DNA sequence: CAGTGAGCGAGCTTCCGCTTGACTT
């Protein structure tokens, strides 16, 4: 019987800490919050001091019971949840859920998982900070009020099952507004001039590449300049060398890890988190949901040793980074390898790549600046005052660059920062070619998942644990999609001076191509417009920052939490009621034109199940006709011709083996139907255009694939099957499915083994998976 | 589950943050 029960949030952490403490301590994890507001009702008594009604979260009942039993047998319960607002609340909820007496609990905190830190924490227990808990309650209740009051307004005024929230609505707004910027963006162009010269020195020819120190607004000016160059002499008129230094980036936080993994490894935000979680659970890295740049003293010391041994003492520099992130809570360390000495790890390719990146970033953060020598050489032109400038860069001491180079979102800086030939004042240069190239300004880039996270973090909106879920929520609600945009072609001018003649040329370039970016949908646009009109304060980019200030005042005891909520709620609720009563339903209806045959109006608007086209008026005796838009179309861009075409569905494509093939769009997207079965069309196919041949191909493929679904069947018991599913092989018995234990080959399973596995899983209480209803 | 889109109105949807497994066209 142990005397001490320590409760932390994460099970991996519990395991590590148990090793540090003696036999007298049992360490358990509560898996985060154990109580919350009930899911399907407001659960806040708004007329009575905003008293929350908490329940034990259904998925935590088991763990709460277990902890309760252990707590009863213990003398002291050490509440060791994270040292931040949520962590403090978790501890307080534990005292309530486990019914712990005040004299039985001790609250302890530590920021790093080292033996010293834990022992120190145990020796310095404190009480639960009720002010901090109240700040969390204010945060929780505010989010509930915002979400559960505004969402129903959207159901009635826009479309069913939509949602609004302090974080998600602002995230969507960012994407919507970026798209607007792109729509209204007008590219302007200027002529950039680059020159190639030859330097003759010591019998050798050296090539010098330089750029003019100004741009020209139009072709005429550019041409006039080139003409002046025909007779000109080019001479080095200034050589300037100055030292510069580059410093490494701080070690990773959740958000910077997501950004860098996206740029360097092409990982989605959620993939990064899944892989990081695996590394964490395997004990390879520290906790992956953090906003702190801090490294433990132990980590600093081992980095110092590692750098010195690998590269020499002169490469090492101890650095501590201060957090500049708004609202950071810094309950953890930065993300770093648990053991710096492990340069690589075992694991799958994703784990290895992500680990290597974390290792390099951590090590580099404790390395010396790179020392660089930058050289600017000015080249005068005898016939005019403009000058060419050649830039060179020489790394004198590589420092941290030996290990790690951070990438940026706009990796298109091409202008050569290379080594320059030995240019000296007064050197004469021969021109080989001077070109004036028309360059267009670049439209703002659409957000990637990772760059959206970066923006949200800058605004102090969302937390490390919610970045990935937020991105998936706004997609699930249909506000945004991840899609690519084809680039468009345009011509640009190139004027080239070679020998004594100027050649004029037009070249083609593709611009605006973007791959896998966040793009708003019609619904995203409509909802954002609606919310901006009626709830501008909540959609304000500073809303979170402002309420955070109030949460801080609650935490410091200068404000009472339910008073803060009262101040917010009274005007807010009034607004909600007013809108319910006075605002019209929005559908984004737009008149496209008239149908030629009938002269009836053709509209596009948001219907109950998504965007639709309507021919005729709603109040006519003859009901209007409707057709849904294709996924690739949008309410904003659809043309009358495209809209009318939609009414050609369903389309009969032809006959295959005596049966008709029909293409159309259904509840689940475009499909072809054949022999009473449905075959979903891949994204690349359009039901309006698909040919009979292609449809047959798709049908045969699917039939082929289905035949492979069955791995094994048993004569004596037809109920039992081994099937191939999306996540590999599984056993299906009637309508229940069972996992195949690791180490067993699906093809070799016998009927007896299958039944045994199903019995086993039922007994261990594992939830068997039933076919989802509906 | 693969043809809905009016209006009536039963019963439903929805937030953010903390944590892991379980999840099967």
């Amino acid at each position: 019987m142990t005397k001490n029960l320590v409760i932390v949030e994460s099970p991996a952490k519990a395991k590590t800490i148990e090793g540090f403490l003696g036999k007298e301590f049992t360490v358990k994890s509560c898996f985060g919050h154990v109580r919350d507001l009930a899911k399907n009702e407001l659960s806040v008594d708004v007329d009575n001091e905003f008293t929350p009604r908490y329940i034990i979260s259904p998925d935590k009942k088991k763990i709460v019971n277990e902890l309760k039993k252990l707590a009863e047998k213990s003398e002291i319960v050490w509440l060791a949840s994270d040292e931040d607002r949520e962590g403090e609340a978790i501890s307080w909820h534990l005292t309530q859920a486990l019914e712990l007496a005040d004299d039985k609990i001790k609250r302890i905190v530590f920021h790093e998982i080292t033996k010293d830190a834990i022992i120190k924490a145990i020796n310095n227990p404190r009480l639960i900070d009720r002010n901090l808990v109240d700040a969390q309650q204010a945060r929780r209740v505010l989010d509930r009020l915002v979400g559960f009051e505004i969402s129903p307004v959207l159901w009635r005024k826009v479309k069913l099952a939509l949602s609004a929230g302090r974080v998600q609505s602002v995230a969507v707004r960012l994407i919507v507004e970026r798209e607007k910027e792109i729509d209204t963006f007008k590219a302007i162009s200027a002529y950039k001039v680059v020159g190639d010269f030859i330097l003759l020195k010591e019998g050798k020819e050296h090539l010098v590449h330089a750029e003019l120190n100004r741009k020209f607004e139009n072709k005429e000016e550019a041409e006039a300049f080139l003409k002046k160059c025909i007779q000109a002499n080019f001479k080095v008129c200034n050589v300037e060398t100055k030292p510069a230094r580059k410093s490494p980036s701080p070690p990773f936080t959740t958000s910077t890890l997501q950004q860098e993994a996206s740029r360097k490894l092409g990982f989605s935000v959620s993939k990064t988190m899944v892989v990081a979680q695996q590394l964490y659970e395997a004990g390879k890295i520290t906790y992956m949901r953090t906003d702190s740049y801090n490294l433990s003293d132990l980590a600093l010391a081992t980095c110092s040793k590692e750098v010195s041994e690998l590269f020499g003492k002169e490469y090492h520099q101890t650095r501590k980074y201060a957090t500049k992130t708004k609202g950071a809570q810094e309950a953890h360390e930065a993300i770093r390898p648990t053991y710096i000495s492990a340069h690589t790890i075992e694991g799958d390719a994703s784990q290895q790549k992500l680990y290597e990146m974390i290792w390099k970033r951590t090590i580099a953060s404790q390395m010396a600046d790179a020392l660089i020598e930058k050289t600017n050489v000015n080249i005068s032109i005898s016939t005019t005052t403009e000058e060419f400038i050649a830039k060179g860069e020489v790394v004198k001491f590589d420092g941290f660059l030996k290990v790690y180079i951070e990438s940026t979102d706009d990796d298109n800086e091409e202008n050569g920062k290379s080594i320059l030939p030995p240019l000296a004042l007064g050197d004469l240069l021969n021109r080989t070619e001077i070109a004036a190239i028309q360059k267009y300004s670049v439209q703002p880039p659409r957000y990637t998942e990772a760059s959206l996270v970066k923006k949200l973090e800058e605004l102090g909106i969302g937390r490390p644990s919610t970045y990935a879920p937020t991105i998936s929520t706004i997609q699930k609600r249909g506000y945004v999609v991840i899609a690519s945009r084809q680039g468009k072609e345009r011509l640009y001018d190139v004027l080239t001076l070679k020998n004594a003649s100027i050649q004029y040329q037009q070249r083609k370039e593709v611009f605006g191509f973007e791959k896998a970016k966040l793009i708003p949908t019609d619904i995203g646009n409509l909802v954002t417009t609606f919310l901006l009109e009626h709830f501008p304060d909540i959609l304000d980019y500073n809303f979170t920052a402002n309420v955070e200030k109030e949460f801080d005042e609650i935490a410091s005891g200068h404000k009472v939490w339910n008073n803060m909520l009262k101040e917010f709620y009274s005007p807010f609720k009034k607004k909600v009621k007013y809108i319910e009563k006075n605002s019209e339903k929005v559908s984004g209806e737009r008149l496209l034109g008239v149908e030629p045959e009938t002269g009836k109006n053709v509209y596009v608007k948001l219907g109950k199940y998504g965007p639709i086209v309507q021919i005729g008026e709603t109040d006519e005796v003859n009901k209007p006709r409707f057709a849904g838009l294709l996924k690739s179309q949008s309410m904003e861009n659809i043309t009358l011709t495209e809209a009318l075409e939609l009414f050609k569905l369903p389309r009969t494509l032809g006959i295959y083996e005596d049966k008709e093939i029909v293409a159309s769009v259904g509840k689940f997207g475009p499909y072809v139907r054949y022999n009473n079965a449905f075959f979903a069309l891949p994204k690349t196919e359009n039901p309006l255009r698909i040919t009979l041949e292609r449809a047959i191909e798709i049908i045969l493929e699917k039939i082929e694939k289905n035949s492979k679904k069955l791995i094994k069947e048993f004569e004596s018991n037809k109920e039992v099957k081994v099937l191939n599913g999306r996540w590999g092989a599984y056993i299906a018995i009637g309508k229940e499915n069972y996992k195949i234990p690791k180490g067993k080959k699906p093809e070799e399973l016998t009927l007896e083994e299958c039944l045994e596995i199903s019995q086993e899983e039922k007994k261990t209480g594992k939830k068997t998976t039933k076919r989802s209803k509906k």
Side-chain angles (χ1 to χ4, degrees), chain A residues 79-313:
Chain A
L79 299 169
S81 50
D82 298 343
E83 186 179 31
D84 58 17
R85 201 163 60 206
E86 298 297 326
E88 203 68 15
I90 287 173
S91 279
W92 176 72
H93 279 300
L94 280 170
T95 65
Q96 303 300 299
L98 308 182
E99 295 166 32
L100 300 173
D102 284 353
D103 56 1
K104 197 172 176 171
I105 59 165
K106 292 190 177 181
R107 169 83 171 113
I108 53 167
V109 294
F110 38 85
H111 297 153
E112 34 182 270
I113 319 292
T114 58
K115 190 168 180 177
D116 286 350
I118 312 295
I119 303 289
K120 204 170 143 195
I122 293 275
N123 290 329
N124 294 284
R126 60 169 172 82
L127 299 173
I128 287 179
D129 181 344
R130 280 309 306 258
N131 289 333
L132 197 51
V133 173
D134 285 348
Q136 192 274 348
Q137 297 201 83
R139 198 281 305 154
R140 179 68 190 91
V141 172
L142 178 90
D143 281 338
R144 173 53 67 94
L145 293 174
V146 168
F148 275 43
E149 293 280 7
I150 301 185
S151 297
V153 178
L154 293 178
W155 303 342
R156 282 185 273 278
K157 302 296 179 185
V158 187
K159 188 170 168 273
L160 227 58
L162 295 178
S163 67
R166 174 176 59 83
V167 173
Q168 59 168 284
S169 296
V170 177
V172 176
R173 179 184 174 190
L174 284 165
I175 297 161
V176 166
E177 291 195 339
R178 177 57 56 88
E179 199 68 22
K180 290 235 163 68
E181 275 174 55
I182 293 169
D183 284 345
T184 56
F185 180 80
K186 294 256 185 309
I188 48 168
S189 72
Y191 288 75
K192 163 184 160 177
V193 182
V194 292
D196 287 328
F197 304 91
I198 298 276
L199 168 73
L200 261 174
K201 209 165 214 182
E202 291 154 8
K204 270 193 213 154
E205 285 193 350
H206 303 274
L207 183 72
V208 179
H209 183 78
E211 193 178 324
L212 198 70
N213 62 355
R214 65 164 286 199
K215 286 178 179 155
F216 298 104
E217 265 176 43
N218 54 49
K219 203 160 119 187
E220 290 67 36
E221 282 180 29
E223 197 176 354
F225 169 79
L226 290 183
K227 277 186 182 151
K228 284 189 214 162
C229 288
I230 297 176
Q231 297 298 334
N233 293 320
F234 301 91
K235 193 165 88 181
V236 173
C237 63
N238 189 29
V239 178
E240 200 175 66
T241 302
K242 33 176 198 203
R245 27 176 81 226
K246 271 187 193 147
S247 303
S249 305
F252 282 128
T253 59
T254 302
S255 126
T256 53
L257 179 72
Q258 289 171 344
Q259 289 160 44
E260 197 74 341
S262 159
R263 288 185 294 237
K264 281 195 166 154
L265 309 178
F267 286 6
S268 70
V269 160
S270 64
K271 160 128 195 192
T272 300
M273 293 316 283
V274 166
V275 177
Q277 175 98 28
Q278 291 163 353
L279 292 173
Y280 169 66
E281 282 171 15
K284 309 274 199 248
I285 61 168
T286 55
Y287 197 59
M288 64 282 151
R289 289 186 275 265
T290 175
D291 51 20
S292 171
Y293 291 139
N294 196 44
L295 294 176
S296 71
D297 290 340
L298 185 71
L300 291 177
T302 48
C303 278
S304 163
K305 187 165 161 267
E306 198 67 26
V307 172
S308 303
E309 276 172 16
L310 285 174
F311 311 113
K313 262 209 156 87

